[in-house]
Amino acid sequence: MNTRSIGATPALTVLLALVTAGCESSSSIATASVFDSAGITVADLGPAPLEGADRRALADEPDLVIRSDEGDGATLLSDVRDVEVLSGGRVAVIDGSGNAILLFDAAGEHIATWGGTGDGPGEFRYLEWLASLPSDSLAAGDGGLRRVTVFDSEGAFARSFATASAFDPTSCPVPPRPLGLLADGSTIAAFYDRPPAAEGTARPAVEIVAASATGDTVYTLGTWPGEELTLFSQDGLLQVTQPPFGRRLHVATGLDGVWIADDERWQLRKYSARGAPSMVVRSSVSPMPVTDQLLEAWITERYRHAAQVPTLEDLKRDQREIARHTTTPNFGAIRGTTEGGVAIGEFGLDTGSPRVWITVDPNGTATAIELPAGLDVKRWGPDWVIGVVRDALDREEIRRYRILADSEGED
C-alpha cells in the first residue's frame, strides 16, 4: 500500500478526485457524468473531478476484531485468503494453512471449524474464496480440485460440483478455475493460458466464463491479458518472475454479477451471469510515473521478508534489469460491494500507509474514503468494510470498521 515518502501523494490526490454523480440525476455533481448506453450504465469519472467530491470517513476504531487464540492451535489465523459476513453478524474466515473455514460469532469468538485438507466431501486442496448465498448457506471455492462446495447454515456439507461438469473434457482437458458464485447459482470461472517457453515479457490470456447453476449452459464473458510475467534464462534454465509494476487482470464477483478490469487502464466492466455487460466505470486519470526512487521502494517492499543471504542482492539486480514500465498500474485492487457496486483501491507499495478507495454504486454515484494503513480489504458492505491486517510480527487479524454517515464524519 502507499507510502507518502516515495511520491504516493499524487496518487492519493488523484483518487480523491475521482468522485462522481449522474449528470442526469437530481443529485448530480457537475464534474462527472453518468449515462445509459444501450442498456449499460456508464459512470465516467473524468480526469480529476476533485471539486464537490463526496468523502466519507471510518470510525476511529474497528467495531469487530478477530485475533488468533495463541493457546488454541485450531483458531490460529494463518494465510487468511478470504472473509465473508453471514447472518446474525457471524464471520467466516479462510485459514489457508489448514484449508479450513473458521466461523466466529458477532463478538469475534470462535464457534466452529468447517472443512479441512483432503479430497472428500467438504474438504479442500486449495481453498480460495467464500460466497454467502441468499438461502443463508455458504459456498467455498477450491482452486486445487476445481470445484465449489456448499455448506448449510449449520456447517453441514450440502453439495459440491466441479467446474469440469459444465465443459467437454475433450476440448477442455484442464477444467477452469472457479472464481466466485453468484446468487442465482452461476459459477464464474477462468481458463488460464500457459506462458510462452521463451525469454521476454508476456501476459498469458485469461478467458472468463459463467456456467449456469445446472451446468448445461456456459456463457463466455471475454478474454483478457492476464498477469504480466518476465521469462529469462539463468544457469541454463528458464526462470519466470513478476516484473516491477507488472500489469494484472482483476476479477471481483458479487451477488448479481462480476467486475473485470485490466489495470493497464482505468476502466472496469460489470457482466451479468449471462455474459452481458451491465455497467462501466472509467476515468481518464493518469497513473503515477515510475522514478528510480519508486523502483527502489518497489524492490524493497517485494523482498521485505526475504532472508539476508548473498543471493538477495542478485535478485534485486535482476528486478532492476527487467523493469520496463514508465508508469504504475492505474489502480491496485477492486472489490465488488454488497450493494452491487464496486470499490477501487489506489495502487500503492507500503502496507504502513493508508490507502484511498473509490466506491461507485449501481447508480454511478462515487465516494472517496481513506482506509487504515495495512488493511487488506476482503468485503465492502453498505456501511462497513472488513479486511485483514498484519502486526509487526506478521500475525494476521480481522478488523471491521463502520463507515460513518456524512454528519458523523464532520469535525
Side-chain angles (χ1 to χ4, degrees):
M1 297 186 183
N2 269 349
T3 169
R4 292 189 176 95
S5 63
I6 59 171
T9 301
L12 185 148
T13 303
V14 159
L15 277 166
L16 281 176
L18 296 178
V19 290
T20 184
C23 65
E24 298 176 358
S25 167
S26 60
S27 59
S28 64
I29 297 173
T31 54
S33 61
V34 178
F35 57 93
D36 184 278
S37 176
I40 302 172
T41 301
V42 178
D44 190 338
L45 307 183
L50 183 59
E51 295 79 8
D54 180 13
R55 305 186 188 182
R56 301 286 293 278
L58 293 187
D60 292 336
E61 299 294 333
D63 67 343
L64 175 67
V65 177
I66 299 174
R67 297 186 176 93
S68 296
D69 183 347
E70 302 295 339
D72 181 3
T75 58
L76 288 177
L77 299 178
S78 178
D79 188 17
V80 175
R81 296 174 188 159
D82 202 7
V83 178
E84 181 63 293
V85 177
L86 307 178
S87 64
R90 297 176 302 158
V91 177
V93 177
I94 288 181
D95 167 38
S97 64
N99 278 309
I101 302 169
L102 306 182
L103 193 69
F104 299 86
D105 65 17
E109 297 295 326
H110 178 251
I111 53 177
T113 297
W114 304 344
T117 301
D119 299 340
E123 296 177 333
F124 307 96
R125 282 295 173 186
Y126 191 79
L127 181 55
E128 289 189 289
W129 54 262
L130 302 171
S132 60
L133 300 177
S135 58
D136 201 27
S137 54
L138 180 68
D142 188 333
L145 295 175
R146 305 294 173 106
R147 75 182 182 190
V148 176
T149 296
V150 179
F151 297 91
D152 67 18
S153 60
E154 300 302 318
F157 171 79
R159 66 186 187 280
S160 66
F161 52 91
T163 55
S165 62
F167 300 89
D168 179 0
T170 60
S171 60
C172 306
V174 179
R177 188 172 184 166
L179 304 180
L181 196 68
L182 306 187
D184 68 352
S186 299
T187 303
I188 304 299
F191 290 99
Y192 295 88
D193 279 0
R194 294 181 179 273
E199 291 189 79
T201 298
R203 296 188 64 185
V206 179
E207 181 184 14
I208 308 296
V209 297
S212 64
T214 57
D216 57 359
T217 307
V218 177
Y219 301 94
T220 299
L221 278 62
T223 300
W224 288 266
E227 185 168 10
E228 186 172 1
L229 303 172
T230 295
L231 297 90
F232 60 98
S233 295
Q234 188 175 70
D235 300 328
L237 298 174
L238 192 64
Q239 306 290 331
V240 181
T241 188
Q242 299 168 316
F245 308 103
R247 282 19 179 180
R248 294 176 52 214
L249 182 68
H250 299 253
V251 181
T253 58
L255 288 178
D256 64 342
V258 56
W259 290 91
I260 302 176
D262 177 358
D263 59 22
E264 177 67 24
R265 58 187 301 198
W266 215 105
Q267 178 170 283
L268 303 90
R269 291 179 176 270
K270 184 181 182 182
Y271 294 83
S272 71
R274 293 180 174 269
S278 60
M279 188 171 181
V280 176
V281 177
R282 66 192 185 195
S283 169
S284 56
V285 66
S286 298
M288 287 190 297
V290 172
T291 63
D292 290 342
Q293 186 182 16
L294 191 60
L295 174 60
E296 290 305 311
W298 187 95
I299 293 172
T300 298
E301 178 65 18
R302 174 161 188 166
Y303 297 106
R304 181 162 54 96
H305 297 294
Q308 295 297 319
V309 295
T311 56
L312 180 58
E313 290 306 314
D314 292 336
L315 293 173
K316 293 181 177 180
R317 185 192 64 242
D318 291 340
Q319 291 295 317
R320 295 184 187 100
E321 290 178 354
I322 65 176
R324 69 179 185 87
H325 287 290
T326 59
T327 61
T328 66
N330 279 269
F331 52 86
I334 67 172
R335 296 286 184 268
T337 69
T338 59
E339 304 299 292
V342 66
I344 309 107
E346 68 174 332
F347 175 80
L349 300 177
D350 180 21
T351 57
S353 296
R355 177 177 292 190
V356 174
W357 285 66
I358 296 294
T359 64
V360 183
D361 70 17
N363 297 320
T365 302
T367 302
I369 188 168
E370 184 174 87
L371 299 189
L375 184 67
D376 178 12
V377 175
K378 297 302 183 183
R379 287 290 184 275
W380 201 293
D383 59 0
W384 53 264
V385 59
I386 192 168
V388 182
V389 298
R390 293 176 179 269
D391 64 16
L393 299 178
D394 208 33
R395 294 173 299 194
E396 296 169 287
E397 69 179 38
I398 312 299
R399 293 181 184 176
R400 184 182 64 201
Y401 289 87
R402 191 164 65 91
I403 301 174
L404 303 178
D406 292 341
S407 58
E408 294 179 280
E410 292 176 356
D411 293 332

